[in-house]
């Protein structure tokens, strides 16, 4: 596609429910990132994939958070037993190859609200 | 860990005027990259400008330019001839040359007055 696509755009869930957020990166992009952005704050790194391999998950806040990218393209971020503090915008980004000079292209994000 | 600080939560500028957003960062590394991203209400983060730390020359992209002071660890963004479409939240970000993740500041909201 032309850009990084995320779905759903908005998600409302009750506390304790499981949610799944989808990211479709730019075609051919090797690197994929997830960030969490609390209201009025800058994004914070959650996890990084190179192709299907999850190379860094140090930013995941708890073991309730799980991300996968089984075929090296689409990625899913799953949050189990959601809590109110999970409410945030979840941004996905991709880049063509791995490297610090490579720009990360962001999607529009999914705004998650936990009631 | 790297820390990126944006000390101005909000800035307001008259259309066609110039505004400067400040950013400081803390790092012990010598090779890194700095970025300014724009986030309009649509939420998509758009790369505005990028600076390599090893380059002395300040980056420029049309109406956007930076003042990179490596010794002072300062990276300010100047928006010239401000337009209504420039209204957004602006984030300063840091990325080590040996790393892949971005570290963002808290952002500055820019309002453009017609």
């Amino acid at each position: 596609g032309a850009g990084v696509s995320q779905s759903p755009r908005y998600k409302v869930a009750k506390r304790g429910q499981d949610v799944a957020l989808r990211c479709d990166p730019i075609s051919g992009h090797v690197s994929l990132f997830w960030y969490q952005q609390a209201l009025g704050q800058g994004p914070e790194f959650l996890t990084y994939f190179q192709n299907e391999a999850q190379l860094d998950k140090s930013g995941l806040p708890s073991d309730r958070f799980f991300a996968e990218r089984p075929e090296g393209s689409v990625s899913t971020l799953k949050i189990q037993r959601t809590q109110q503090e999970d409410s945030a915008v979840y941004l996905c980004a991709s880049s063509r190859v791995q490297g610090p000079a490579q720009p990360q292209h962001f999607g529009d994000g999914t705004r998650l609200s936990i009631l | 860990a790297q820390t990126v600080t944006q000390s101005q939560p909000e800035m307001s500028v008259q259309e066609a005027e110039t505004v400067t957003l400040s950013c400081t960062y803390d790092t012990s590394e010598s090779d890194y990259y700095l970025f300014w991203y724009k986030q309009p209400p649509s939420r998509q983060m758009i790369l505005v400008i990028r600076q390599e730390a090893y380059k002395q020359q300040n980056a420029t992209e049309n109406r956007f330019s930076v003042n990179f002071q490596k010794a002072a660890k300062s990276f300010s963004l100047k928006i010239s001839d401000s337009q209504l479409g420039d209204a957004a939240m602006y984030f300063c970000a840091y990325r080590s040359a040996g790393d892949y993740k971005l570290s963002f500041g808290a952002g500055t909201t820019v309002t453009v007055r017609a």
Side-chain angles (χ1 to χ4, degrees):
Chain A
V4 177
S5 178
Q6 291 188 246
S7 61
R9 186 159 172 79
Y10 300 92
K11 176 70 178 177
V12 179
K14 292 182 179 179
R15 188 172 54 146
Q17 289 183 329
D18 298 348
V19 298
L21 312 179
R22 176 188 169 104
C23 173
D24 201 338
I26 294 172
S27 179
H29 277 199
V30 167
S31 298
L32 185 144
F33 306 81
W34 283 98
Y35 292 85
Q36 180 190 57
Q37 185 177 18
L39 185 64
Q41 298 298 315
E44 293 196 359
F45 171 80
L46 293 178
T47 188
Y48 163 62
F49 289 86
Q50 187 170 323
N51 294 307
E52 69 278 4
Q54 188 176 22
L55 299 186
D56 188 342
K57 53 181 181 179
S58 63
L60 295 177
S62 78
D63 58 7
R64 297 185 296 103
F65 286 71
F66 171 77
E68 61 183 4
R69 193 186 185 198
E71 297 179 358
S73 55
V74 172
S75 176
T76 303
L77 177 66
K78 297 179 180 179
I79 309 173
Q80 298 177 324
R81 305 181 303 282
T82 52
Q83 303 293 318
Q84 284 192 321
E85 61 263 27
D86 300 335
S87 296
V89 172
Y90 291 85
L91 294 168
C92 177
S94 69
S95 64
R96 190 170 57 87
V97 294
Q98 195 278 332
Q102 292 297 319
Q104 293 184 18
H105 302 268
F106 285 81
D108 290 348
T110 293
R111 182 179 297 279
L112 175 64
S113 298
I114 305 300
L115 305 179
Chain B
Q2 288 75 31
T3 302
V4 179
T5 301
Q6 294 180 248
S7 58
Q8 306 153 314
E10 297 179 2
M11 294 288 283
S12 181
V13 60
Q14 188 72 35
E15 195 175 8
E17 297 295 312
T18 296
V19 64
T20 300
L21 311 183
S22 65
C23 172
T24 59
Y25 56 94
D26 183 24
T27 185
S28 58
E29 303 185 7
S30 59
D31 195 9
Y32 50 87
Y33 297 79
L34 296 165
F35 306 83
W36 278 99
Y37 278 89
K38 170 185 177 181
Q39 188 178 43
S42 67
R43 297 201 305 257
Q44 185 179 28
M45 298 283 277
I46 302 165
L47 179 64
V48 174
I49 200 164
R50 178 178 68 187
Q51 174 80 43
E52 292 93 337
Y54 60 85
K55 288 188 176 179
Q56 301 276 6
Q57 188 172 5
N58 289 323
T60 300
E61 287 288 340
N62 301 313
R63 297 181 296 106
F64 298 87
S65 61
V66 298
N67 183 4
F68 173 49
Q69 301 289 327
K70 190 171 184 178
K73 296 180 182 175
S74 170
F75 182 61
S76 62
L77 173 70
K78 184 170 78 173
I79 307 174
S80 303
D81 185 26
S82 297
Q83 301 175 0
L84 295 177
D86 295 334
M89 197 152 185
Y90 287 79
F91 292 95
C92 178
Y94 168 101
R95 188 177 186 183
S96 166
D99 203 352
Y100 37 76
K101 54 179 170 273
L102 292 165
S103 297
F104 288 87
T108 298
T109 300
V110 172
T111 304
V112 181
R113 305 185 306 273

